[in-house]
Amino acid sequence: MPGPRDRGVPARSTIAFQWRGAGPERRGRLPPVPALNRCVGTVMWELHPSALGPNDGPFAIVGHSCALYPRLPGRDSDRGTPQSLSAVDTCSWDAEGRPPGSLQLGAQDMGPSCTPVQRVLLALTPTLEKLQEMKGRVLEALEQGLSQQSGARSTMKMLPTFICSTPDGTENGDVLVAELCQNHVRTLWVTLTGDGNQSPQLMYHVFEMPEDITQGSGEALFDFIAQCVKNFLEEIGNPQHRLPLGFIFPFSCRQTGLDKAELISWSKGFRCSDVEGKDVVQLLQAAISKQELCHVDVVALLNDTVGTMMTCSTREKPCEIALVVGSGTNCCFMAESHLLDMAEVTSGRMCVNSEWGCLGDDGALDDVLTPYDHRVDQESSNPGERRFEKMVGSLYLGEIVRHAMLMLASEQALFIGRNTSILATKAVLKTQQVLEIMDNEDGMAKAQGILEALGLQPSERDCCRVQQLCRAVVSRAAALSAMGLAAVLSHMCRSRQLERLVVNVGVDGGLYHTSARFGEILRSVVGLLAPECAANLMPSADISGLGAAMVTAVALRTMAQRNKVERLLAPLRLSRADLQRVQALMRQEMERGLDRERNAESSLRMLPTYVCHTPDGTERGKFLALDLGGTNFRVLVVHVAEDNIDIINEIYVIPTAIMQGTGEALFNHIMECIMDFQMKQELMDQVLPLGFTFSFPCQQLGLDKAVLLNWTKGFSASGCVGQDVVQMLREAAQRKQHTALKVVAVVNDTVGTMMACGYHDPKCEIGLIVGTGTNTCYMEERAKVGTIDGDEGRMCINMEWGAFGDNGCLDDFFTSFDRLVDEKSINAGKQKFEKLISGMYLGEIVRQILLALVEEQVLFCGKSSQKLQNRDIFQTKFLSTIETPGLALVQVQGILRNLELDASYEDSVLVREVCQTVSLRAAHLCAAGMAAVVEKMRESRGLEQLTVTVGVDGTLYKMHPRFSQNLQQMLQELAPLCNVTFLQSEDGSGKGAALVAAVACRGADPSSPQ
């Protein structure tokens, strides 16, 4: 009966069932290597004394206590006389025990004092200084690769993997994995139970791959992989439920999504036709479909490096870097997304596949390449490519040693008098044999056996020198790997704005796992080249198969979480059509509010302010100003001169008890503050015109008459609503027997802002406040104001737009979170537009969303904190901080930690997204309202194009990093016929009130009594 291979199906090897989280000792892992002594000194390689030739020195630590390379006469010295002259070259030693031509520690000498063996070893021994220099080149190539502009010039491609999250331990379910390896395909079934990934259940099967598959057609390769998947599923019982599959494809790909990847180029001996430039996920999915496995979906593609990182990662100990040093080499790491031009992702982090095996393909490593490296490259299947990999990967180390041996034999330094023609044969020495020869205990015996098997009849000295060569080649590979890893670590530390980076590094590959020496050197050199980083090297638990399962499971988890997030945030994400509808509703309410008959139907008061002019530059004199709009109250004296305005002010606190007490007590307190200020400024005997900024909804009956309609911003003083606030202030002055009070104008902060900016820009005819609360005023054509008499000129209209929607017209835009915030406010059902926009409420909206995400098990592992349960604990200033461009997410975690929240990196990214969603909606709603205002002004004036300036104030507008930009961009889209400039106010509520008084007194003596 024909065998499996004869029947055209994959050959099968032993299948292992129910492998459950075995420790390293059960998987053939090496025990941990003890930490190196940090003192500079000599470390002997335990060579057999009789094996040392007259020209061979002992091995030692070279520089900074890094146990790397052999101690060589001609380079290093014991600073003492050798025990026996027969142990060294016949050249004379100097007084300090150095041979002629020797250099200082870590230097290299190719001079005549070096024997051929020493010359070869020196060529294979980069100094620490050279490694530091190379690290700088790698950093430059890395940062070029991240940039879209210079990425094409970099040999490090820095390919985005679209993996933005590491395992958090909640992953569960069945996952299928297909791993394409050098000469086989491995299939795995992984069951995750959501227990922190402590005991994943694995079943796997290894299918040997015919050699011709790697050189045949791409279709044949993917058909083979699909056949392996089908055979594996049949062997484990043919499960029929939907199976997500993770595909490990260890070749350079350009990914445009987690399940979309085009092969850039083959390597590692593969040369399948018609695959390069194609989407390998689609090719595999098509092959799986041909096998009628309609329930198997390829959901993630990754390479073995990414798999290593995911295998080593847990929520408690996330792994953010992976290094693979096996037949090839590569490194991946979690990069800051805003640095990834190619991925078009600006938030959080994304795993980047560096493809650093290509380092040096541009000639950057030419000064460290040896003649042996060049010969290995010339004989490879891809000359001139992957030069770094050819110095580090185990596929090539045996070849480097072979070429070095061949050269030394030609110079009569090895195998003297022997037939060495076998060394001209490619691949006669394997890297595994190189590692065996390196061994301190059995290495000499192994060397003798391996060399005798090649017919070389080695002497004991030959074996010793070959052992030196093997150690030098492997030590160099470890040092170069450490150099690359140090560059990645330094980049991460710098990009995250950290003084010290502490990070876990998953390491995999045959060289690392089978050579303790390799790991020692890797760890030590990384510490020397990146002292600002603490890298914890973690051996991979299951090569990359479990990692692929993790990637797939994380993709499914994040997909499910993303669906929940999108469902919760979708109502807050307003389309342009939504905003145009809000704009139309605002315009409709404006028209109603200006109409005498329909004013009561409108949620917009559209209150006349009796301010009919803006500053023209002729205002002069000294004025008092009061500013009441929140918990702080200011008194100012403003001197308006020809060239400038001088302001002196003092801030007074209004206690909560007074804010919520009686109106008489409130105005008594205000009067006491005024008198205190006048006494300090020696103004008690002067009668100065006073402008009163009263930032609450009022119906003005004149410039100095304003009836309070309702309190906002936490005020609830009794006996004030329905009363003239100017009269209440005058009555308080009488109670305090203060007669020198001349109130000439009462305005709100919005009008004051417009007037303050109008002093600097005559085109300023709109005022906007976006701070604790929000409001807008604008100069309307008087003929359009039906609530007052007169048709000539213009009058400033105080819209009181915070109340927009109080009549229910905005109910469709209120989300469940908005309703919760409204219901728990002190003025439920009122100021609805303000509750969508202003700083008093945005933080509370965010808090309600965070609680909902916690309840959905999407955030903080489903665990809230006692602090987060407290109303208003999440302040709006947190939004401004969290959304600051370039802010390291570790600082976001700090904010959340202060709220007693155990936030992972992914949690911080999601909190930032929530903040951005809430603030963006606020800015866009503000833009929709402003679009209605400017379009109304343009049409009222009969203009094709309106040019106008908006004077703007408020902490949200000024302090939030994106609010103003988002507002202005959307306003331009919604009102394309209006050219709108925004001018930030300098003390609009103080200076503006004084300027209203100044405009009212223009042409009269401001000091004349009322």
Side-chain angles (χ1 to χ4, degrees):
M1 180 177 290
R5 217 173 268 188
D6 298 322
R7 292 195 303 270
V9 298
R12 306 185 183 190
S13 64
T14 306
I15 184 167
F17 290 92
Q18 304 302 322
W19 182 90
R20 298 173 182 265
E25 68 284 352
R26 291 176 60 190
R27 294 191 298 277
R29 299 289 187 248
L30 291 171
V33 179
L36 292 177
N37 188 334
R38 300 304 294 174
C39 300
V40 177
T42 300
V43 172
M44 301 301 292
W45 281 82
E46 301 177 12
L47 296 178
H48 196 281
S50 63
L52 291 171
N55 299 325
D56 301 317
F59 282 74
I61 286 179
V62 178
H64 301 289
S65 77
C66 180
L68 296 180
Y69 313 120
R71 177 179 292 282
L72 300 171
R75 186 191 67 186
D76 307 316
S77 164
D78 283 326
R79 297 193 175 274
T81 303
Q83 296 177 0
S84 169
L85 288 177
S86 65
V88 296
D89 281 323
T90 56
C91 58
S92 300
W93 289 61
D94 65 17
E96 295 188 4
R98 287 193 298 257
S102 69
L103 302 176
Q104 296 300 316
L105 193 67
Q108 295 186 4
D109 181 15
M110 300 297 180
S113 63
C114 289
T115 67
V117 173
Q118 292 164 3
R119 190 164 58 250
V120 171
L121 294 175
L122 281 168
L124 291 167
T125 308
T127 64
L128 291 172
E129 290 77 10
K130 176 58 72 175
L131 291 172
Q132 193 71 259
E133 179 188 328
M134 292 173 70
K135 175 192 167 186
R137 299 180 204 167
V138 174
L139 263 172
E140 183 179 356
L142 184 156
E143 288 167 2
Q144 281 185 346
L146 288 173
S147 168
Q148 196 166 28
Q149 294 180 341
S150 59
R153 300 197 304 269
S154 176
T155 54
M156 288 181 74
K157 298 305 180 186
M158 307 308 293
L159 302 170
T161 66
F162 295 86
I163 294 169
C164 301
S165 181
T166 54
D168 68 359
T170 65
E171 292 79 16
N172 64 80
D174 298 324
V175 178
L176 195 58
V177 175
E179 179 182 13
L180 177 60
C181 302
Q182 187 76 31
N183 49 24
H184 64 270
V185 170
R186 186 167 71 136
T187 55
L188 298 93
W189 176 283
V190 182
T191 299
L192 300 169
T193 57
D195 63 350
N197 301 326
Q198 296 301 307
S199 55
Q201 300 176 24
L202 281 82
M203 298 182 287
Y204 69 90
H205 197 141
V206 175
F207 297 88
E208 296 300 325
M209 185 162 55
E211 189 173 343
D212 60 342
I213 289 284
T214 65
Q215 308 297 315
S217 69
E219 183 178 7
L221 172 66
F222 288 100
D223 283 347
F224 179 82
I225 298 170
Q227 182 70 60
C228 293
V229 172
K230 182 177 182 179
N231 291 349
F232 176 62
L233 291 176
E234 288 175 353
E235 190 147 353
I236 64 173
N238 230 350
Q240 292 301 307
H241 61 284
R242 180 179 178 268
L243 289 174
L245 182 143
F247 181 30
I248 302 177
F249 189 72
F251 301 97
S252 180
C253 290
R254 182 175 293 103
Q255 286 192 248
T256 54
L258 191 57
D259 60 349
K260 295 178 178 62
E262 293 180 0
L263 175 64
I264 296 174
S265 61
W266 288 112
S267 60
K268 305 173 186 176
F270 278 71
R271 277 290 177 272
C272 297
S273 62
D274 203 27
V275 179
E276 292 182 347
K278 300 285 184 67
D279 185 341
V280 295
V281 174
Q282 286 187 1
L283 293 175
L284 179 58
Q285 190 69 66
I288 288 174
S289 297
K290 282 198 284 185
Q291 298 294 334
E292 298 182 351
L293 299 174
C294 57
H295 59 300
V296 176
D297 296 321
V298 185
V299 301
L301 178 135
L302 65 155
N303 62 19
D304 49 353
T305 319
V306 177
T308 295
M309 185 184 78
M310 300 299 278
T311 302
C312 295
S313 195
T314 65
R315 179 177 174 83
E316 292 72 26
K317 284 185 159 184
C319 178
E320 297 188 85
I321 308 177
L323 168 66
V324 170
V325 194
S327 58
T329 183
N330 197 11
C331 178
C332 69
F333 66 97
M334 295 300 287
E336 304 302 300
S337 292
H338 67 90
L339 299 176
L340 281 168
D341 291 350
M342 291 180 289
E344 298 181 356
V345 178
T346 58
S347 183
R349 292 173 186 157
M350 180 182 288
C351 180
V352 172
N353 170 23
S354 71
E355 286 297 333
W356 76 5
C358 297
L359 271 169
D361 289 4
D362 58 353
L365 298 180
D366 284 358
D367 57 340
V368 293
L369 291 170
T370 67
Y372 333 115
D373 297 310
H374 287 300
R375 287 176 185 140
V376 169
D377 177 57
Q378 290 164 7
E379 291 181 357
S380 70
S381 61
N382 54 348
E385 298 177 11
R386 306 192 73 81
R387 300 308 302 270
F388 185 70
E389 183 169 272
K390 289 169 185 173
M391 300 170 74
V392 171
S394 62
L395 198 61
Y396 306 97
L397 300 190
E399 285 297 280
I400 297 172
V401 173
R402 178 178 69 85
H403 277 291
M405 289 164 55
L406 187 61
M407 180 174 287
L408 287 172
S410 70
E411 296 181 12
Q412 296 296 301
L414 272 181
F415 313 123
I416 299 171
R418 309 289 195 270
N419 179 3
T420 58
S421 59
I422 187 66
L423 294 178
T425 304
K426 187 177 178 182
V428 294
L429 184 66
K430 306 295 184 185
T431 297
Q432 183 56 42
Q433 295 173 315
V434 170
L435 297 175
E436 291 171 359
I437 292 171
M438 283 177 58
D439 186 73
N440 286 344
E441 296 180 2
D442 303 323
M444 288 289 289
K446 290 284 187 183
Q448 185 170 355
I450 291 167
L451 295 174
E452 285 179 350
L454 294 175
L456 294 171
Q457 301 177 14
S459 66
E460 198 168 10
R461 185 183 304 167
D462 290 334
C463 293
C464 172
R465 289 174 170 174
V466 170
Q467 188 180 55
Q468 287 181 336
L469 282 176
C470 292
R471 287 174 173 168
V473 168
V474 174
S475 295
R476 183 184 69 158
L480 291 174
S481 300
M483 174 275 301
L485 179 56
V488 170
L489 287 165
S490 293
H491 166 78
M492 290 176 67
C493 187
R494 186 165 61 194
S495 64
R496 297 183 184 187
Q497 304 170 25
L498 299 175
E499 291 184 6
R500 183 167 179 77
L501 173 71
V502 179
V503 68
N504 290 324
V505 181
V507 190
D508 203 355
L511 274 178
Y512 181 79
H513 286 309
T514 59
S515 172
R517 191 68 183 151
F518 190 97
E520 272 186 24
I521 295 170
L522 181 68
R523 187 179 298 107
S524 183
V525 177
V526 165
L528 293 169
L529 297 181
E532 77 280 18
C533 304
N536 176 34
L537 303 186
M538 305 172 65
S540 174
D542 181 56
I543 311 180
S544 50
L546 181 58
M550 288 297 182
V551 170
T552 307
V554 167
L556 295 174
R557 169 177 62 80
T558 54
M559 195 181 304
Q561 290 178 338
R562 174 46 47 184
N563 290 337
K564 292 179 180 179
V565 171
E566 290 298 325
R567 177 174 54 80
L568 286 171
L569 296 185
L572 291 100
R573 292 184 169 136
L574 302 180
S575 66
R576 183 166 176 178
D578 291 329
L579 295 171
Q580 288 171 332
R581 186 176 161 212
V582 172
Q583 178 182 352
L585 287 169
M586 176 73 81
R587 177 66 181 272
Q588 176 182 296
E589 294 292 286
M590 289 175 71
E591 299 285 3
R592 286 178 177 173
L594 290 171
D595 186 89
R596 188 188 300 269
E597 303 299 327
R598 297 189 298 162
N599 176 267
E601 302 172 12
S602 176
S603 59
L604 294 177
R605 304 278 188 167
M606 303 302 288
L607 303 169
T609 65
Y610 296 88
V611 172
C612 300
H613 304 280
T614 54
D616 63 6
T618 63
E619 295 78 17
R620 302 287 184 274
K622 189 181 288 187
F623 306 89
L624 278 178
L626 311 180
D627 175 18
L628 177 62
T631 55
N632 292 332
F633 168 64
R634 286 191 308 152
V635 187
L636 310 88
V637 59
V638 180
H639 185 204
V640 182
E642 182 176 356
D643 299 324
N644 67 308
I645 297 178
D646 291 327
I647 300 175
I648 299 173
N649 74 88
E650 186 163 346
I651 298 174
Y652 297 88
V653 175
I654 301 179
T656 303
I658 291 179
M659 289 170 57
Q660 298 176 1
T662 66
E664 185 174 309
L666 173 62
F667 281 92
N668 282 346
H669 179 74
I670 292 171
M671 199 65 236
E672 289 166 3
C673 296
I674 295 171
M675 293 169 65
D676 177 74
F677 178 79
Q678 286 184 303
M679 287 180 65
K680 289 177 180 177
Q681 301 300 322
E682 299 180 354
L683 298 173
M684 289 296 286
D685 296 332
Q686 297 185 41
V687 179
L688 300 178
L690 185 148
F692 185 11
T693 297
F694 188 75
S695 303
F696 301 92
C698 289
Q699 180 175 1
Q700 288 202 235
L701 305 176
L703 190 58
D704 64 346
K705 293 181 178 63
V707 175
L708 176 64
L709 297 174
N710 57 274
W711 284 116
T712 57
K713 305 174 189 177
F715 279 73
S716 59
S718 62
C720 297
V721 174
Q723 300 299 312
D724 180 355
V725 295
V726 174
Q727 184 59 33
M728 294 185 77
L729 181 62
R730 288 171 177 158
E731 289 171 357
Q734 291 174 0
R735 287 193 295 271
K736 297 296 180 180
Q737 298 182 351
H738 184 63
T739 57
L741 188 71
K742 180 185 176 184
V743 182
V744 299
V746 59
V747 296
N748 67 12
D749 51 354
T750 319
V751 178
T753 294
M754 182 187 75
M755 296 297 279
C757 292
Y759 182 81
H760 301 284
D761 183 351
K763 291 188 179 67
C764 183
E765 295 185 89
I766 303 174
L768 171 65
I769 299 290
V770 194
T772 307
T774 183
N775 193 18
T776 293
C777 69
Y778 72 102
M779 297 299 291
E780 178 61 277
E781 301 301 302
R782 197 155 180 169
K784 301 290 184 180
V785 184
T787 53
I788 59 171
D789 297 329
D791 294 333
E792 297 298 321
R794 295 170 182 161
M795 179 177 288
C796 181
I797 299 297
N798 170 23
M799 293 178 64
E800 287 297 338
W801 81 355
F804 175 42
D806 286 4
N807 60 0
C809 66
L810 282 183
D811 285 359
D812 289 348
F813 297 95
F814 252 56
T815 68
S816 59
F817 311 115
D818 300 313
R819 283 189 284 273
L820 283 170
V821 171
D822 178 47
E823 289 166 4
K824 295 178 182 179
S825 67
I826 62 172
N827 57 347
K830 298 181 180 179
Q831 297 296 110
K832 285 193 169 183
F833 194 56
E834 183 168 89
K835 288 171 183 172
L836 300 175
I837 290 179
S838 73
M840 177 171 277
Y841 303 100
L842 297 191
E844 181 61 10
I845 295 171
V846 168
R847 186 183 75 90
Q848 294 292 346
I849 297 172
L850 298 185
L851 289 173
L853 290 169
V854 169
E855 189 174 342
E856 290 281 354
Q857 302 288 310
V858 173
L859 197 59
F860 311 134
C861 287
K863 298 175 184 176
S864 181
S865 70
Q866 189 58 48
K867 274 194 174 182
L868 194 62
Q869 302 298 323
N870 297 331
R871 184 168 164 260
D872 296 328
I873 193 69
F874 199 96
Q875 301 171 38
T876 297
K877 69 178 182 181
F878 293 165
L879 277 73
S880 298
T881 302
I882 289 170
E883 293 185 58
T884 299
L887 181 76
L889 282 179
V890 67
Q891 294 170 270
V892 178
Q893 287 176 298
I895 292 173
L896 299 173
R897 201 175 298 116
N898 289 336
L899 297 175
E900 300 174 355
L901 294 165
D902 181 18
S904 67
Y905 183 87
E906 286 78 13
D907 290 335
S908 300
V909 172
L910 182 50
V911 169
R912 176 179 282 176
E913 181 183 356
V914 172
C915 292
Q916 290 171 337
T917 301
V918 170
S919 67
L920 180 65
R921 182 186 67 156
H924 283 177
L925 285 171
C926 193
M930 186 56 65
V933 172
V934 295
E935 276 296 307
K936 174 75 169 66
M937 291 175 69
R938 185 184 67 81
E939 292 180 18
S940 294
R941 298 178 186 187
L943 300 174
E944 290 187 6
Q945 187 86 25
L946 173 70
T947 299
V948 68
T949 297
V950 178
V952 61
D953 203 352
T955 52
L956 183 59
Y957 184 91
K958 288 183 173 180
M959 303 303 293
H960 191 280
R962 300 181 185 276
F963 190 95
S964 59
Q965 180 183 358
N966 290 335
L967 187 162
Q968 292 174 39
Q969 286 178 346
M970 184 52 66
L971 176 59
Q972 191 172 17
E973 291 184 31
L974 296 176
L977 298 178
C978 300
N979 180 20
V980 185
T981 302
F982 285 78
L983 178 62
Q984 286 195 28
S985 169
E986 298 177 7
D987 191 17
S989 54
K991 183 170 72 174
L995 283 167
V996 172
V999 170
C1001 297
R1002 197 160 57 197
D1005 180 2
S1007 301
S1008 62
Q1010 188 173 6

